[in-house]
Amino acid sequence: MAFDKKQDQRNSIPEPKLLLLVRPELAPVFYDLFQAGVFVHAKIGATIQAFLCDGLGLDPQYVKERIQTVFLNGKAVDGPTSAVIPDHAVIALSAAMPGLLGATLRKGSFYAAMRSEISHAGQAAVSPHEGKVLLKLFNLLPGEIGAFLLSKGVWIKGDTLKKFLEKHLPRLAKGCIRAEMDGKTSAVESLAQQEWPADQEVLLKVDIK
Amino acid sequence: MDRMLRIDMGAEGGPKATLTEVGEYAGLGGRALTSALVSKEVPPLCHPLGASNKLVIAPGLLSGTAAAVSGRLSVGCKSPLTGGIKEANAGGQPSQMLARLGYAAIVLEGKPKDETLYKIFINKDGVKIAEDNSLKMLGNYDLVDKLKGEYGDKIGVISIGPAGEMKMSAASIACTDMEVRPTRHAGRGGVGAVMGAKGVKAIILDDTGTKMRSPKDPDAFKEANKRWVEGLRKHPVTGQGLPAYGTNVLTNVINEAGGYPTHNFMWGRFEGCAKISGETQAELENQRGGEGSATHGCHRGCIIRCSGTFHDKDGHYVTKQPEYETVWAHGGNCGIDDLDAIAMLDRLDDDFGVDTIEMGATIGVAMEGGLAKFGDARAAINLVKEVGKGTPLGRILGNGAAVTGKVFGVERVPVVKGQSMPAYDPRSVQGIGVTYATSPMGADHTAGYAVATNILGVGGKVDPLKPEGQAELSRNLQIATAAIDSTGMCLFIAFAIMDQPETFQALIDTINTFYGLKLSADDVTALGKSVLKNERDFNARAGFTAAQDRLPEFFKKESLPPHNIVFNVTDKDLDTVFNW
């Protein structure tokens, strides 16, 4: 999913809001979304560490111990406390990974020299302002923090949401207790059938009963 | 494990089995044993498919014991794919069974005078070698079913499929898993072709009536193994990530790093990666096969359980959970984002008995050569079926990416020493490119995999945040890997022993208490070095020079998107890897 640089202008248009209340067994279905990435609010110009702890509200201990691999725009980050988030950033997070590469890509890895070509280097200062980043979660992280983020709300492109609803419709129909689109109760089936503007972001909030 | 079974397949009057003491190979297991024997006994200039080559099948030092995850089986010979020394290893049941039967190794020697096919049955009472031409050209699945009908379902089988019989350079040797399915393969380097050249279709093992191997100090061994198990279970990779998602959990992360070779190493990212990732695969497997289908061990005593079972949409068994390398080779590398198609390709590879990495890389080269379009899963399946049938095209493909590239005039052929590269582009992670280039095995991700060099302390300290030191890191990784390959331990233990020094100590204690030794980390390092020295010595005598320790030219010329980088480790640096 490419980051849409025109999104800032479109933010003035009221965004569609989809609220879902689902049974616990449906939770893993939504983890699918985190692989491709969801948009979340972020302070541009802040550090990755600040984004994770202050922005997303994650426990610093969890960030230190569990989030072992961090990518900023495809580059492996060794210092989350110094790496600064630029505009239109893509941030990917993972728990510890297997394989030599898994070990090599970890933050501050003993083997970081092996991937120096794709290590995140410092960048020019960015003036602080509010924005969004594309956040991807891999490995164990969707299961551990995905539900928390979904309850706070994430933004997804309309075409991505439509594909997601179509792909998982049978399970969604079974596990969804209530669906509300812009304040009006909707059937999941009709949500999957409706047209979603491809390039518009939709706010998705999911509560697990 | 104090004896070796040598079988002269070319003896007068038919194959002749001889039991010998382990002699000068005492104290060696797995790769240490196969490489020592091949280096000493196989003429380096012999033809890999000739009578002078030997196929050595050796359990690891701790196989057949109660030590957890100790069931890797090493297979060694002169490789028909690389022309150099080869050790390929596999999980499954045979390593544990062979060790319990008391064999440090089976050595197949000589060559039958005709095309007769043999099966070898080994149990506690001895060895029986029989002609059985009814097994000719059977796929591994049908073969194992037939053997189960004859010998019962408590057996373990080491076998070759049609590719091995046709002596293809991509041919693998299959080992059966806990369900007696031929899903675990010593895949690399064409070891299956050597078994085929020896005229052996299958080795059937029955360890009924044998006992687990006894440690010298049972109480201390039990205590050390307990610490060993606890260490593996508490680590997030071996205790959580691998059991939940298997090795394919790497797909998303390598793709994000821009190091996921796509369309025959043209790009570093694959658009359809989320459709074939470990997370998606595990969810699909659990959905189709029931919760827990994505978590399964490949042999008794495995507590990591990184495998799983792949069912089709109707719930029928297709194959074991395809591993990361397989999903990449047949998936992103060929532009295929359909897990069902990839699982079918994995099944065909296992059945025909070919290496999934070599086969996927070969199909990628074939696609670039115009035989099919990238992304065409049906065409990929048909190409692999050509291999199984042994058509002229299939014979070309079955001999690997290097041969296929030559036949179809493709320049971008991702091989080193004739062996295909696995699923990490060396331009994005250049340290792994150093290992690809310099390993005696040819391009092999597992050659420098044991990420425990910090614990072992081999080769001094390298500043992890400086770009220098690629050669030194690669050397240390290759040493550590060679040592672990000799224990019979699964390489995935590397993560737990890297992060938890007490778990590394538990491993050393497990070996020491079993054998009554006092090994130190230095001894483990010395073992790894000696293995590599044997292997490099063999390759040198086979005619290898520094010129073979190189990546293909395109890695230095073609930049890899999205980071647009080329491989820039100098030849001079590559030549320092084995300066010790």
Side-chain angles (χ1 to χ4, degrees), chain A residues 28-29 32 35 66 69 71 73-75 78 90 92 94 96-106 108-118 136 138-140 171, chain B residues 236-237 240 245 249-250 252-254 256-257 269 274 277 279-280 283 287 424 428-432 448-449 451-453 464 466-467 470 473 477 495 498-499 563 568:
Chain A
V29 168
D32 218 10
Q35 289 190 69
R66 198 61 162 176
T69 313
F71 290 102
N73 291 336
K75 300 271 181 122
D78 288 302
V90 179
S94 172
M97 301 295 293
L100 172 61
L101 254 70
T104 302
L105 293 169
R106 285 188 196 179
S109 168
F110 183 84
Y111 304 98
M114 297 179 76
R115 46 90 169 152
S116 54
E117 301 288 333
I118 57 162
K136 300 179 182 180
F138 305 139
N139 194 340
L140 300 166
R171 292 176 77 186
Chain B
V237 171
Q240 292 174 288
Y245 301 116
V249 71
L250 281 164
N252 274 322
V253 167
I254 307 298
E256 190 65 24
R269 281 209 182 124
S277 69
E279 292 90 329
T280 301
E283 170 72 5
Q287 212 180 308
Y424 317 88
S428 62
V429 182
Q430 309 227 337
I432 205 165
Y449 193 93
V451 284
T453 55
K466 286 191 175 168
Q470 309 273 13
L473 276 171
L477 287 162
F495 315 105
M498 172 175 70
D499 293 331
H563 298 308
N568 58 26

Coordinates of all heavy atoms in Angstrom, one line a residue, chain A residues 28-29 32 35 66 69 71 73-75 78 90 92 94 96-106 108-118 136 138-140 171, chain B residues 236-237 240 245 249-250 252-254 256-257 269 274 277 279-280 283 287 424 428-432 448-449 451-453 464 466-467 470 473 477 495 498-499 563 568:
Chain A
P28 N -8.7 -12.7 15.3 CA -7.6 -13.0 14.4 C -7.8 -12.5 13.0 O -6.9 -12.2 12.2 CB -7.4 -14.5 14.5 CG -8.0 -14.9 15.8 CD -9.1 -13.9 16.0
V29 N -9.1 -12.5 12.6 CA -9.4 -12.0 11.2 C -8.9 -10.6 10.9 O -8.3 -10.3 9.8 CB -10.9 -12.1 11.0 CG1 -11.3 -11.4 9.7 CG2 -11.4 -13.5 11.0
D32 N -5.1 -9.6 9.8 CA -4.8 -9.5 8.4 C -4.5 -8.1 8.0 O -3.6 -7.8 7.2 CB -6.0 -10.0 7.6 CG -5.7 -10.8 6.4 OD1 -4.5 -11.2 6.3 OD2 -6.6 -11.1 5.6
Q35 N -0.9 -6.7 8.5 CA 0.2 -7.1 7.6 C 0.4 -6.1 6.5 O 1.6 -5.7 6.1 CB -0.1 -8.4 7.0 CG 0.0 -9.6 7.9 CD -0.1 -10.9 7.1 OE1 0.8 -11.2 6.4 NE2 -1.2 -11.6 7.3
R66 N 9.7 -6.7 23.8 CA 9.0 -7.5 22.8 C 9.1 -7.0 21.4 O 9.2 -7.8 20.5 CB 7.5 -7.4 23.2 CG 6.6 -8.5 22.6 CD 7.1 -9.8 23.1 NE 6.0 -10.8 22.8 CZ 6.2 -12.1 23.1 NH1 7.4 -12.6 23.6 NH2 5.2 -13.0 22.9
T69 N 12.2 -5.8 16.4 CA 12.5 -5.4 15.0 C 11.7 -4.2 14.6 O 10.5 -4.3 14.7 CB 12.3 -6.6 14.1 OG1 12.9 -7.8 14.6 CG2 12.9 -6.3 12.7
F71 N 11.3 -1.3 11.6 CA 11.6 -0.7 10.3 C 11.0 0.7 10.1 O 9.9 0.9 10.5 CB 11.1 -1.5 9.1 CG 11.8 -2.9 9.0 CD1 11.2 -4.0 9.4 CD2 13.1 -3.0 8.4 CE1 11.8 -5.3 9.3 CE2 13.7 -4.2 8.3 CZ 13.1 -5.3 8.7
N73 N 10.5 3.2 7.0 CA 10.6 3.2 5.5 C 11.5 2.2 5.0 O 12.4 2.4 4.1 CB 11.1 4.6 5.1 CG 10.1 5.7 5.3 OD1 8.9 5.4 5.4 ND2 10.5 6.9 5.5
G74 N 11.4 0.9 5.5 CA 12.1 -0.2 5.0 C 13.5 -0.4 5.5 O 14.2 -1.3 5.1
K75 N 13.9 0.5 6.3 CA 15.3 0.5 6.9 C 15.3 0.0 8.3 O 14.4 0.5 9.1 CB 16.0 1.9 6.8 CG 16.1 2.4 5.4 CD 17.4 2.0 4.7 CE 17.5 2.6 3.4 NZ 18.7 3.3 3.2
D78 N 18.1 0.8 14.6 CA 18.9 0.3 15.7 C 18.6 1.2 17.0 O 18.6 0.7 18.1 CB 20.4 0.3 15.4 CG 20.7 -0.8 14.5 OD1 20.5 -1.9 14.8 OD2 21.3 -0.5 13.4
V90 N 6.5 4.9 6.8 CA 5.9 3.6 7.0 C 6.7 2.9 8.1 O 8.0 2.8 8.0 CB 6.1 2.7 5.7 CG1 5.6 1.3 5.9 CG2 5.4 3.4 4.5
A92 N 7.2 -0.5 10.5 CA 6.8 -1.9 10.6 C 7.5 -2.4 11.9 O 8.7 -2.1 12.2 CB 7.3 -2.7 9.4
S94 N 8.0 -5.9 14.6 CA 7.9 -7.3 14.8 C 8.5 -7.8 16.1 O 9.4 -7.1 16.6 CB 8.6 -8.1 13.6 OG 8.6 -9.4 13.9
A96 N 10.7 -10.9 18.0 CA 12.0 -11.5 17.6 C 11.7 -12.5 16.5 O 10.7 -13.2 16.5 CB 12.7 -12.2 18.8
M97 N 12.6 -12.5 15.5 CA 12.4 -13.3 14.3 C 13.4 -14.4 14.2 O 14.5 -14.3 14.7 CB 12.5 -12.5 13.0 CG 11.5 -11.3 12.9 SD 9.8 -11.9 12.8 CE 9.8 -12.6 11.2
P98 N 13.0 -15.6 13.6 CA 14.0 -16.6 13.4 C 14.9 -16.4 12.2 O 14.8 -15.3 11.6 CB 13.1 -17.9 13.1 CG 11.9 -17.3 12.5 CD 11.7 -15.9 13.1
G99 N 15.9 -17.2 12.0 CA 16.7 -17.1 10.9 C 17.9 -16.2 11.1 O 17.8 -15.3 12.0
L100 N 18.9 -16.4 10.4 CA 20.1 -15.4 10.5 C 19.6 -14.0 10.2 O 20.0 -13.1 10.9 CB 21.2 -15.8 9.5 CG 22.3 -14.9 9.4 CD1 23.0 -14.7 10.7 CD2 23.3 -15.3 8.3
L101 N 18.7 -13.9 9.2 CA 18.3 -12.5 8.9 C 17.4 -12.0 10.0 O 17.5 -10.8 10.3 CB 17.5 -12.5 7.6 CG 18.4 -11.8 6.5 CD1 19.6 -12.7 6.2 CD2 17.6 -11.4 5.3
G102 N 16.6 -12.8 10.6 CA 15.8 -12.4 11.8 C 16.7 -11.8 12.8 O 16.4 -10.7 13.4
A103 N 17.8 -12.5 13.1 CA 18.7 -12.0 14.2 C 19.4 -10.8 13.7 O 19.7 -9.8 14.5 CB 19.7 -13.1 14.5
T104 N 19.8 -10.7 12.4 CA 20.5 -9.6 11.9 C 19.7 -8.3 11.9 O 20.2 -7.2 12.1 CB 20.9 -9.9 10.4 OG1 21.7 -11.1 10.5 CG2 21.7 -8.8 9.8
L105 N 18.4 -8.4 11.7 CA 17.5 -7.3 11.5 C 17.1 -6.7 12.8 O 16.5 -5.6 12.9 CB 16.3 -7.6 10.7 CG 16.6 -7.9 9.2 CD1 15.4 -8.5 8.5 CD2 17.1 -6.7 8.5
R106 N 17.3 -7.4 13.9 CA 16.9 -6.9 15.2 C 17.6 -5.5 15.5 O 18.7 -5.2 15.1 CB 17.4 -7.8 16.3 CG 16.6 -9.1 16.5 CD 17.1 -9.7 17.7 NE 16.7 -11.1 17.8 CZ 17.1 -11.9 18.8 NH1 17.8 -11.5 19.8 NH2 16.7 -13.2 18.8
G108 N 19.8 -3.0 17.2 CA 21.1 -3.1 17.9 C 21.7 -4.5 17.8 O 22.4 -4.9 18.7
S109 N 21.4 -5.2 16.7 CA 21.8 -6.6 16.6 C 23.3 -6.7 16.6 O 24.0 -5.8 16.1 CB 21.3 -7.2 15.3 OG 21.9 -8.4 15.0
F110 N 23.8 -7.8 17.2 CA 25.3 -8.1 17.2 C 25.7 -8.2 15.7 O 26.9 -8.0 15.4 CB 25.5 -9.4 17.9 CG 26.9 -9.8 18.0 CD1 27.8 -9.2 19.0 CD2 27.5 -10.7 17.1 CE1 29.1 -9.6 19.1 CE2 28.8 -11.1 17.2 CZ 29.6 -10.5 18.2
Y111 N 24.8 -8.5 14.9 CA 25.1 -8.8 13.4 C 24.7 -7.6 12.5 O 24.5 -7.8 11.3 CB 24.4 -10.1 13.0 CG 24.8 -11.2 13.9 CD1 24.0 -11.7 14.9 CD2 26.0 -11.9 13.7 CE1 24.4 -12.7 15.8 CE2 26.4 -12.9 14.6 CZ 25.6 -13.3 15.6 OH 26.0 -14.3 16.4
A112 N 24.4 -6.5 13.1 CA 24.0 -5.3 12.3 C 24.9 -5.0 11.2 O 24.5 -4.5 10.1 CB 23.8 -4.1 13.3
A113 N 26.2 -5.3 11.4 CA 27.2 -4.9 10.3 C 26.8 -5.7 9.0 O 27.1 -5.2 7.9 CB 28.6 -5.3 10.7
M114 N 26.1 -6.8 9.1 CA 25.8 -7.6 7.9 C 24.7 -6.9 7.1 O 24.6 -7.3 5.9 CB 25.3 -9.0 8.3 CG 26.4 -9.8 9.1 SD 25.9 -11.4 9.6 CE 25.9 -12.3 8.0
R115 N 24.0 -6.0 7.7 CA 22.9 -5.3 6.9 C 23.1 -3.8 6.9 O 22.1 -3.1 6.9 CB 21.5 -5.7 7.4 CG 21.3 -5.7 8.9 CD 20.8 -4.5 9.4 NE 20.3 -4.7 10.8 CZ 20.3 -3.7 11.7 NH1 20.8 -2.5 11.4 NH2 19.9 -3.9 12.9
S116 N 24.3 -3.4 7.0 CA 24.6 -1.9 7.1 C 24.0 -1.1 5.9 O 23.6 0.0 6.1 CB 26.1 -1.6 7.2 OG 26.8 -2.2 6.1
E117 N 23.9 -1.8 4.8 CA 23.3 -1.1 3.6 C 21.8 -0.7 3.8 O 21.3 0.2 3.1 CB 23.4 -2.0 2.3 CG 24.9 -2.4 2.0 CD 25.7 -1.2 1.5 OE1 25.1 -0.3 0.9 OE2 26.9 -1.2 1.6
I118 N 21.2 -1.4 4.6 CA 19.7 -1.1 4.8 C 19.4 -0.7 6.3 O 18.3 -0.8 6.7 CB 18.8 -2.3 4.4 CG1 19.2 -3.6 5.2 CG2 18.9 -2.6 2.9 CD1 18.1 -4.6 5.2
K136 N 2.6 -1.2 10.3 CA 2.5 -2.6 10.0 C 2.9 -3.4 11.2 O 3.9 -3.1 11.8 CB 3.4 -3.0 8.8 CG 3.0 -2.3 7.5 CD 4.0 -2.8 6.4 CE 3.7 -2.0 5.1 NZ 4.7 -2.5 4.0
F138 N 3.8 -7.4 12.5 CA 4.1 -8.8 12.1 C 4.3 -9.7 13.3 O 4.5 -9.3 14.4 CB 5.3 -8.9 11.2 CG 5.3 -7.9 10.0 CD1 6.5 -7.2 9.7 CD2 4.2 -7.8 9.2 CE1 6.5 -6.4 8.6 CE2 4.2 -6.9 8.1 CZ 5.4 -6.2 7.8
N139 N 4.3 -11.0 12.9 CA 4.6 -12.0 13.9 C 3.6 -12.0 15.1 O 2.4 -12.0 14.8 CB 6.1 -11.8 14.3 CG 6.7 -12.9 15.1 OD1 6.0 -13.8 15.6 ND2 8.0 -12.9 15.1
L140 N 4.1 -12.0 16.3 CA 3.2 -12.1 17.4 C 2.5 -10.8 17.8 O 1.5 -10.8 18.5 CB 3.9 -12.6 18.7 CG 4.6 -13.9 18.6 CD1 5.7 -14.1 19.7 CD2 3.6 -15.1 18.6
R171 N -17.0 -15.3 7.8 CA -16.6 -15.3 9.2 C -17.1 -14.0 9.9 O -17.5 -14.0 11.1 CB -15.1 -15.4 9.4 CG -14.6 -16.8 8.9 CD -13.1 -16.9 9.0 NE -12.6 -17.0 10.3 CZ -11.3 -17.0 10.6 NH1 -10.4 -16.8 9.7 NH2 -10.9 -17.2 11.9
Chain B
P236 N 11.3 -16.2 23.0 CA 10.2 -15.8 22.1 C 10.2 -16.4 20.7 O 9.2 -16.6 20.1 CB 10.3 -14.3 22.1 CG 11.6 -13.9 22.6 CD 12.1 -15.0 23.5
V237 N 11.4 -16.8 20.2 CA 11.5 -17.3 18.9 C 11.2 -18.8 18.9 O 10.3 -19.3 18.3 CB 12.9 -17.1 18.2 CG1 13.0 -17.9 16.9 CG2 13.1 -15.6 17.9
Q240 N 7.7 -19.3 21.0 CA 6.4 -18.7 20.6 C 6.3 -18.5 19.1 O 5.4 -19.0 18.5 CB 6.2 -17.4 21.3 CG 6.0 -17.5 22.8 CD 5.9 -16.2 23.5 OE1 6.9 -15.5 23.7 NE2 4.7 -15.8 23.9
Y245 N 3.9 -19.7 13.9 CA 3.9 -19.4 12.5 C 4.8 -20.2 11.6 O 4.8 -20.0 10.4 CB 4.1 -17.9 12.3 CG 3.1 -17.0 13.0 CD1 3.5 -16.2 14.1 CD2 1.8 -17.0 12.7 CE1 2.6 -15.4 14.7 CE2 0.8 -16.3 13.3 CZ 1.3 -15.4 14.4 OH 0.3 -14.7 15.0
V249 N 7.2 -17.1 8.9 CA 6.9 -15.8 9.6 C 8.0 -14.8 9.1 O 7.8 -13.6 9.3 CB 7.0 -16.0 11.1 CG1 8.4 -16.3 11.6 CG2 6.4 -14.8 11.8
L250 N 9.0 -15.3 8.4 CA 10.0 -14.4 7.9 C 9.6 -13.5 6.7 O 10.1 -12.5 6.4 CB 11.3 -15.1 7.5 CG 12.2 -15.6 8.7 CD1 13.2 -16.6 8.2 CD2 13.0 -14.4 9.2
N252 N 7.1 -11.5 5.7 CA 6.8 -10.1 5.9 C 8.0 -9.3 6.2 O 8.2 -8.2 5.7 CB 5.7 -9.9 6.9 CG 4.3 -10.1 6.4 OD1 4.0 -9.7 5.3 ND2 3.4 -10.7 7.2
V253 N 8.8 -9.8 7.1 CA 9.9 -8.9 7.6 C 11.0 -8.8 6.5 O 11.5 -7.7 6.3 CB 10.5 -9.5 8.9 CG1 11.8 -8.9 9.2 CG2 9.5 -9.3 10.0
I254 N 11.3 -9.9 5.9 CA 12.4 -9.8 4.8 C 11.8 -8.9 3.7 O 12.6 -8.2 3.1 CB 12.7 -11.2 4.3 CG1 13.1 -12.2 5.4 CG2 13.8 -11.1 3.2 CD1 14.3 -11.8 6.2
E256 N 9.7 -6.5 4.0 CA 9.8 -5.1 4.5 C 11.2 -4.5 4.4 O 11.4 -3.3 4.1 CB 9.3 -5.0 5.9 CG 9.1 -3.6 6.5 CD 8.0 -2.9 5.7 OE1 7.1 -3.5 5.2 OE2 8.0 -1.6 5.8
A257 N 12.2 -5.4 4.6 CA 13.6 -5.0 4.5 C 14.1 -4.8 3.1 O 15.2 -4.3 2.8 CB 14.5 -6.0 5.2
R269 N 11.2 -6.6 -3.2 CA 9.8 -6.7 -2.6 C 8.8 -7.4 -3.5 O 8.9 -7.2 -4.7 CB 9.3 -5.3 -2.2 CG 10.0 -4.8 -1.0 CD 9.1 -3.8 -0.2 NE 9.7 -3.3 0.9 CZ 9.9 -2.0 1.2 NH1 9.4 -1.1 0.3 NH2 10.5 -1.6 2.3
A274 N 1.8 -10.5 1.6 CA 0.9 -10.7 2.7 C 0.0 -11.9 2.4 O -0.5 -12.6 3.4 CB 0.0 -9.5 3.0
S277 N 2.3 -15.0 3.5 CA 3.1 -14.9 4.7 C 2.8 -16.0 5.7 O 1.8 -16.7 5.6 CB 2.9 -13.5 5.4 OG 1.5 -13.6 5.9
E279 N 2.0 -15.6 8.8 CA 0.8 -15.3 9.5 C -0.5 -15.7 8.8 O -1.4 -16.3 9.3 CB 0.7 -13.8 9.8 CG 1.8 -13.2 10.7 CD 3.1 -12.8 10.0 OE1 3.4 -13.4 8.9 OE2 3.8 -11.9 10.5
T280 N -0.5 -15.5 7.5 CA -1.7 -15.9 6.6 C -1.7 -17.4 6.5 O -2.8 -18.0 6.6 CB -1.5 -15.2 5.2 OG1 -1.5 -13.8 5.4 CG2 -2.7 -15.6 4.3
E283 N -3.0 -19.0 9.8 CA -4.5 -18.8 9.9 C -5.2 -19.8 9.0 O -6.2 -20.4 9.4 CB -4.8 -17.3 9.6 CG -6.2 -16.9 9.5 CD -7.0 -16.9 10.8 OE1 -6.3 -17.1 11.8 OE2 -8.2 -16.8 10.8
Q287 N -7.6 -22.8 10.1 CA -9.0 -22.7 9.7 C -9.5 -24.0 9.0 O -10.5 -24.6 9.3 CB -9.1 -21.6 8.7 CG -10.4 -20.8 8.7 CD -10.3 -19.7 7.6 OE1 -9.4 -19.0 7.6 NE2 -11.2 -19.7 6.7
Y424 N 17.2 -14.9 0.6 CA 17.6 -13.6 1.1 C 18.5 -13.0 0.0 O 19.5 -13.6 -0.4 CB 18.4 -13.8 2.4 CG 17.9 -14.8 3.3 CD1 18.2 -16.1 3.3 CD2 17.0 -14.4 4.3 CE1 17.6 -17.0 4.2 CE2 16.4 -15.3 5.2 CZ 16.8 -16.6 5.1 OH 16.2 -17.5 6.0
S428 N 20.9 -6.7 -0.2 CA 20.3 -6.0 1.0 C 21.0 -6.4 2.3 O 21.2 -5.5 3.2 CB 18.8 -6.2 1.0 OG 18.5 -7.5 1.3
V429 N 21.3 -7.6 2.4 CA 22.0 -8.1 3.6 C 23.3 -8.7 3.2 O 23.4 -9.9 2.9 CB 21.1 -9.1 4.4 CG1 21.9 -9.5 5.7 CG2 19.8 -8.4 4.8
Q430 N 24.3 -7.8 3.1 CA 25.6 -8.2 2.4 C 26.4 -9.2 3.1 O 27.1 -10.0 2.5 CB 26.4 -6.9 2.1 CG 25.5 -5.8 1.4 CD 26.2 -5.2 0.2 OE1 27.4 -5.2 0.1 NE2 25.4 -4.6 -0.6
G431 N 26.2 -9.3 4.4 CA 26.9 -10.3 5.2 C 26.5 -11.7 4.8 O 27.4 -12.6 4.8
I432 N 25.3 -11.9 4.5 CA 24.9 -13.2 4.1 C 25.4 -13.5 2.7 O 25.7 -14.7 2.3 CB 23.3 -13.4 4.1 CG1 23.0 -14.9 4.3 CG2 22.6 -12.9 2.9 CD1 21.6 -15.2 4.7
G448 N 25.9 -20.4 7.3 CA 26.3 -19.4 8.3 C 25.2 -18.9 9.1 O 24.8 -17.8 9.2
Y449 N 24.5 -19.9 9.8 CA 23.2 -19.6 10.3 C 23.2 -19.6 11.8 O 22.4 -18.9 12.5 CB 22.3 -20.8 9.9 CG 20.8 -20.6 10.1 CD1 20.0 -20.1 9.0 CD2 20.2 -20.9 11.2 CE1 18.7 -19.9 9.2 CE2 18.8 -20.8 11.4 CZ 18.1 -20.3 10.4 OH 16.7 -20.1 10.5
V451 N 23.6 -18.3 14.9 CA 23.9 -17.0 15.3 C 24.3 -17.0 16.8 O 23.6 -16.4 17.7 CB 22.7 -16.1 15.1 CG1 22.6 -15.7 13.7 CG2 21.4 -16.7 15.6
A452 N 25.3 -17.7 17.1 CA 25.7 -17.8 18.5 C 27.2 -17.4 18.7 O 27.8 -17.8 19.7 CB 25.5 -19.3 19.0
T453 N 27.7 -16.7 17.7 CA 29.1 -16.4 17.8 C 29.5 -15.5 19.0 O 30.6 -15.6 19.4 CB 29.5 -15.7 16.5 OG1 28.7 -14.5 16.3 CG2 29.4 -16.6 15.3
P464 N 29.0 -4.1 16.4 CA 27.8 -4.5 15.6 C 27.3 -3.3 14.8 O 26.5 -3.5 13.9 CB 26.8 -4.9 16.7 CG 27.3 -4.3 17.9 CD 28.8 -4.2 17.8
K466 N 29.1 -1.0 13.1 CA 30.0 -0.6 12.0 C 29.9 -1.5 10.8 O 29.8 -2.7 11.0 CB 31.4 -0.5 12.6 CG 31.6 0.7 13.5 CD 33.1 0.9 13.8 CE 33.3 2.1 14.7 NZ 34.6 2.2 15.3
P467 N 30.0 -0.9 9.6 CA 29.9 -1.8 8.4 C 31.0 -2.7 8.2 O 30.9 -3.6 7.4 CB 29.7 -0.7 7.3 CG 30.4 0.5 7.8 CD 30.2 0.5 9.3
Q470 N 32.4 -7.8 7.8 CA 31.5 -8.8 7.2 C 32.2 -10.1 7.1 O 31.6 -11.2 7.4 CB 31.1 -8.3 5.8 CG 30.5 -7.0 5.7 CD 29.1 -6.9 5.9 OE1 28.5 -7.8 6.4 NE2 28.5 -5.8 5.5
L473 N 32.5 -11.8 10.6 CA 31.2 -12.3 11.0 C 30.8 -13.6 10.3 O 30.4 -14.5 10.9 CB 30.1 -11.2 10.8 CG 30.0 -10.2 11.9 CD1 29.0 -9.1 11.5 CD2 29.5 -10.8 13.3
L477 N 30.2 -17.2 11.9 CA 28.9 -17.9 11.8 C 29.1 -19.3 11.2 O 28.4 -20.2 11.5 CB 27.9 -17.0 10.9 CG 27.4 -15.8 11.6 CD1 26.9 -14.8 10.6 CD2 26.3 -16.1 12.6
F495 N 18.9 -19.3 18.3 CA 18.3 -18.1 18.8 C 18.3 -18.1 20.4 O 18.7 -17.2 21.0 CB 16.9 -17.8 18.3 CG 16.9 -18.1 16.8 CD1 16.3 -19.2 16.3 CD2 17.6 -17.2 16.0 CE1 16.4 -19.5 15.0 CE2 17.7 -17.4 14.6 CZ 17.1 -18.6 14.1
M498 N 21.8 -17.8 21.6 CA 22.4 -16.5 21.4 C 22.0 -15.6 22.5 O 22.8 -14.8 23.0 CB 21.9 -15.9 20.0 CG 22.3 -14.5 19.8 SD 21.9 -13.9 18.2 CE 20.1 -13.8 18.3
D499 N 20.7 -15.6 22.8 CA 20.2 -14.6 23.8 C 20.3 -15.0 25.2 O 20.2 -14.2 26.1 CB 18.7 -14.3 23.5 CG 18.6 -13.6 22.2 OD1 19.5 -12.9 21.8 OD2 17.5 -13.8 21.5
H563 N 15.8 -0.4 -2.3 CA 16.9 0.4 -1.7 C 18.0 0.7 -2.8 O 18.9 1.5 -2.5 CB 17.5 -0.3 -0.5 CG 16.5 -0.5 0.6 ND1 15.8 0.6 1.1 CD2 16.1 -1.6 1.3 CE1 15.0 0.1 2.1 NE2 15.2 -1.2 2.2
N568 N 28.6 -5.0 -2.6 CA 29.9 -4.2 -2.8 C 31.0 -4.8 -1.9 O 32.0 -4.0 -1.6 CB 29.6 -2.7 -2.5 CG 29.0 -2.5 -1.1 OD1 29.2 -3.3 -0.2 ND2 28.3 -1.4 -1.0

